[in-house]
């Protein structure tokens, strides 16, 4: 893993959002470039904006960008609520760079997938010609209801699958434990 200071330095050096810079891997980039040079695909699916960098110059196949969040909004909120003025400036910088980067990526892709109608409306406000489709999170519980003899019939269990280093996930789990779980019990 890269240190925050090294990531920030590279971010300023390359003019990239720190969020994008943090997740870059030269090894992975070379592997993806090699694979894309070997074969033309019907579609290239990019999961999250921080992986778009690996294919942004690739034009042989249409790209679908599956963005689970509009990251510039997240960093703008962090800038607004940061108690440390330096962090507020850094988050604000990333918000501005990410908005430009994400919008550019959306324009370059054949399709952009978002998780909510709210996100689609926000993107429409930037450019209403973008090919955006809403693919909501979640599971149709009626269609995927376990049978009475299901192998997963283990009683009441709760599973959260998400990155706990991502502040909204961490905050959401804490709130669930403190506010929702007592009501469920």
């Amino acid at each position: 893993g890269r240190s925050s200071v090294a990531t920030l330095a590279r971010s300023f050096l390359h003019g990239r959002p720190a969020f994008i810079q943090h997740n870059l891997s030269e090894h992975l980039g070379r592997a993806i470039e090699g694979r894309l040079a070997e074969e033309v695909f019907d579609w290239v699916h990019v999961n999250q904006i921080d992986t778009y960098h690996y294919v942004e110059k690739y034009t042989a196949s249409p790209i679908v960008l599956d963005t689970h969040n509009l990251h510039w909004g997240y960093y703008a909120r962090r800038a607004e609520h940061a108690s440390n003025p330096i962090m507020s400036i850094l988050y604000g910088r990333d918000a501005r760079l990410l908005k430009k980067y994400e919008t550019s990526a959306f324009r370059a892709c054949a399709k952009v997938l978002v998780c909510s109608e709210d996100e689609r409306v926000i993107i429409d406000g930037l450019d209403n010609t973008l090919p955006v489709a809403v693919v909501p999170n979640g599971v149709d519980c009626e269609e995927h209801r376990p049978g009475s003899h299901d192998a997963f019939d283990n009683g009441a269990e709760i599973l959260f699958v998400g990155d706990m280093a991502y502040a909204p996930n961490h905050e959401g789990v804490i709130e669930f434990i403190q506010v929702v779980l007592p009501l469920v019990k």
Side-chain angles (χ1 to χ4, degrees), residues 173-183:
V173 168
I174 297 296
E175 176 143 345
F176 176 81
I177 290 168
Q178 293 175 342
V179 177
V180 178
L181 191 56
L183 296 173

Side-chain angles (χ1 to χ4, degrees), residues 5 8 12 75 78-94 96:
V5 173
L8 196 55
F12 276 94
Y75 281 92
R78 297 236 16 211
E80 184 180 333
H81 298 292
S83 56
N84 179 328
I86 293 172
M87 292 308 296
S88 179
I89 291 167
L90 293 175
Y91 288 140
R93 174 187 181 267
D94 242 35
R96 288 185 302 279

Side-chain angles (χ1 to χ4, degrees), residues 88-107:
S88 179
I89 291 167
L90 293 175
Y91 288 140
R93 174 187 181 267
D94 242 35
R96 288 185 302 279
L97 290 174
L98 277 164
K99 186 172 187 177
K100 182 178 177 183
Y101 185 80
E102 288 181 271
T103 303
S104 174
F106 298 160
R107 288 184 175 129

Side-chain angles (χ1 to χ4, degrees), residues 32-44:
I32 292 170
E33 284 177 19
R35 186 74 170 105
L36 294 176
E38 292 171 2
E39 186 175 349
V40 174
F41 297 90
D42 293 335
W43 291 90
V44 173

Side-chain angles (χ1 to χ4, degrees), residues 50-89:
D50 58 335
T51 57
Y52 175 72
H53 173 76
Y54 301 116
V55 300
E56 67 184 326
K57 293 184 175 83
Y58 181 70
T59 58
S61 304
I63 297 171
V64 176
L65 175 57
D66 189 352
T67 183
H68 308 209
N69 296 296
L70 300 177
H71 289 282
W72 82 79
Y74 167 71
Y75 281 92
R77 286 188 299 281
R78 297 236 16 211
E80 184 180 333
H81 298 292
S83 56
N84 179 328
I86 293 172
M87 292 308 296
S88 179
I89 291 167

